[in-house]
Structures are given as C-alpha cells and as structure tokens.
Amino acid sequence: IVIYNVTAMRAFSLSVGIDYSPLWGNYSWGHKWNVLFLENDKPLHFERKKDTLSVGFDSFDRRPAKIFRETFGRQDINFTDLKEDVPENLLDNHRIDVTHEYTKVSNINVPLRYSPISKKRYSVICTFNNKNWVSQDWGKIKKKQAYFKNMGTGILYLAMYYDNGSLKPASDPFILMEDGQVTFLVPTMTKTQNMQLTRKFPCSNNIQAYCDNMSNGNFQGANNADFRDSVSLFTITKSPEKIETALITN
C-alpha cells in the first residue's frame, strides 16, 4: 500500500516518501507508512487504515527504537569495516535515521561488561522480539564502551557482539529512560522476591479492546441442540485482566 501511495501521489508532483520501523522496541514486528513533505519541508506522516486516511503519527502502544526514511540516493556511509561486526540487515545505505522526528531520543554510552570472543570495533544494540534479541543499530566501541546515537527512549535494550552470524551479550540488559538515563537490570541470587505473573506479554490496545468486548458475555448450556431449555452458566461482569477460572454452579 505504501508503494502504491508513493507512485500515485508522485504522479501528481507530490513529494511523498516511505518511513518505517524495522522492529518496534516492544513488539515482534515492524511497520511502514507514508510521509508527505509540505512546502516548508515539514514532514506530514500518514497512512491508510481500511477505508480512512489517518494523518499524523500514532504508534499507539508500540515504542519505536529506530525509524528510518527510505532514500533513492545512496547515503555516504562506508560499510567496508563494519561487515565483520554488524549484521547485514543494518548495512543499508539507502535510508536515513529520522527517529527524532517521532519520539524522544538519546545518545548513550553503554559500558561493555562482557568480553567478545574476538576483537571487535563495533557493537550492536538489540531489543527483545518475544523470542530472541534482534539488532536495531550499531555503535562504535571506544575504551570498553559502545556509543549509540538517536535511540528511542522508554525501551529495554541489550548491547551485543555480532560474530559469525550469532549475537553474544556485551552488557547487561538496560532500560533507556525517558530522561535519557540508563538503568541496568543486573540479576542477583542474594536478593530475591516472590512475584505473581498475571500475563506473559504486554496488554496491547487491541487485546484490551477484545477484553472489553467480553464484558456482559454470557455462557449458556442446554440439553437440546436448539437451546430451547438453555440455562445461564456464567456471565462476565467486567473486562478480564488475566486468564480466569470460572466456577459454574448449575
């Protein structure tokens, strides 16, 4: 759809491009949308949603770690000395970083607590996609610290080393706070606490909407297939917050 939008609108001499997040910082997928450049060069983000046109950027409950803009021209970036230390999916010189146009960002220096298998000049910064740590960007290593630019805040990250197709931890996981501060999550066996987990993944807006629609839902049972003798077994009185066990007394 975004390619169709670009093709159709450029045919009418409109300056339209494609912006995208390869992978949201707190989800297992990414997204693409369009951007229209106004006469003052100010970008206007938009995308088609079903039969409506949504103007302006709204990530809802998705947090962008990185957002890029596709470019026709090749960017002046030399990837020659990066190929051994950086995954191929990050070596794209037909895009520019526009994360700062969409969200709060911060430049960070991350201490590298763990040593690489072989000497590295670059580290990669990753987010968790519900299964694995996946690379978002790369940064140069200097004095046992990795420098990452223009990173979206409010996200859990992990600095890693890329070696022969595999990613190895270089730091402890950390949260990049809204104010740019870095808070490391370091496990310890001497300080423990009991926790009750009510869900495995965040409750997205879509999931919350499904839960809300379950309110006043009624479970019925019957001895006849046409339900002429049906009885109510259980009624959901409010939006469920977690998986529940219903006690049926009939």
Side-chain angles (χ1 to χ4, degrees), residues 14-204:
L14 294 173
S15 181
V16 178
I18 298 174
D19 286 1
Y20 68 100
S21 172
L23 177 69
W24 297 114
N26 60 337
Y27 273 81
S28 58
W29 65 84
H31 189 58
K32 287 189 175 185
W33 58 93
N34 292 108
V35 55
L36 169 67
F37 296 96
L38 305 178
E39 293 181 355
N40 59 0
D41 288 334
K42 184 178 180 179
L44 178 66
H45 316 108
F46 70 95
E47 62 178 317
R48 186 181 180 90
K49 294 181 179 179
K50 295 183 179 179
D51 295 328
T52 63
L53 184 66
S54 176
V55 178
F57 176 73
D58 187 353
S59 64
F60 299 99
D61 49 3
R62 301 178 291 270
R63 291 185 173 271
K66 279 293 178 185
I67 294 180
F68 296 99
R69 180 165 297 148
E70 294 184 2
T71 66
F72 175 78
R74 184 186 298 270
Q75 303 303 303
D76 188 18
I77 305 174
N78 186 0
F79 291 137
T80 303
D81 62 341
L82 297 176
K83 292 184 177 180
E84 292 185 3
D85 296 349
V86 178
E88 187 175 354
N89 66 292
L90 300 182
L91 304 180
D92 184 351
N93 56 7
H94 286 275
R95 66 183 187 181
I96 57 175
D97 188 342
V98 293
T99 314
H100 60 281
E101 292 185 11
Y102 290 89
T103 187
K104 290 182 179 180
V105 297
S106 183
N107 300 331
I108 54 175
N109 282 302
V110 180
L112 304 182
R113 181 178 179 184
Y114 307 104
S115 300
I117 298 175
S118 58
K119 187 176 180 180
K120 297 292 180 182
R121 290 178 292 178
Y122 299 92
S123 173
V124 294
I125 188 168
C126 304
T127 55
F128 194 65
N129 73 346
N130 297 339
K131 290 183 179 180
N132 303 296
W133 289 98
V134 181
S135 57
Q136 292 274 9
D137 201 13
W138 53 271
K140 195 168 186 177
I141 298 175
K142 186 177 181 180
K143 295 182 179 180
K144 295 185 178 181
Q145 290 190 337
Y147 179 65
F148 300 104
K149 299 184 293 183
N150 219 30
M151 300 305 304
T153 60
I155 297 174
L156 176 70
Y157 291 106
L158 179 65
M160 305 189 79
Y161 301 114
Y162 177 74
D163 191 79
N164 291 325
S166 299
L167 291 168
K168 306 295 182 183
S171 73
D172 289 311
F174 61 91
I175 300 174
L176 178 56
M177 301 296 186
E178 299 282 348
D179 61 359
Q181 296 298 312
V182 172
T183 300
F184 285 94
L185 306 179
V186 183
T188 173
M189 297 303 294
T190 58
K191 297 180 180 179
T192 61
Q193 60 179 323
N194 296 324
M195 300 179 67
Q196 182 180 6
L197 302 181
T198 58
R199 61 181 309 109
K200 184 178 180 182
F201 301 113
C203 184
S204 66

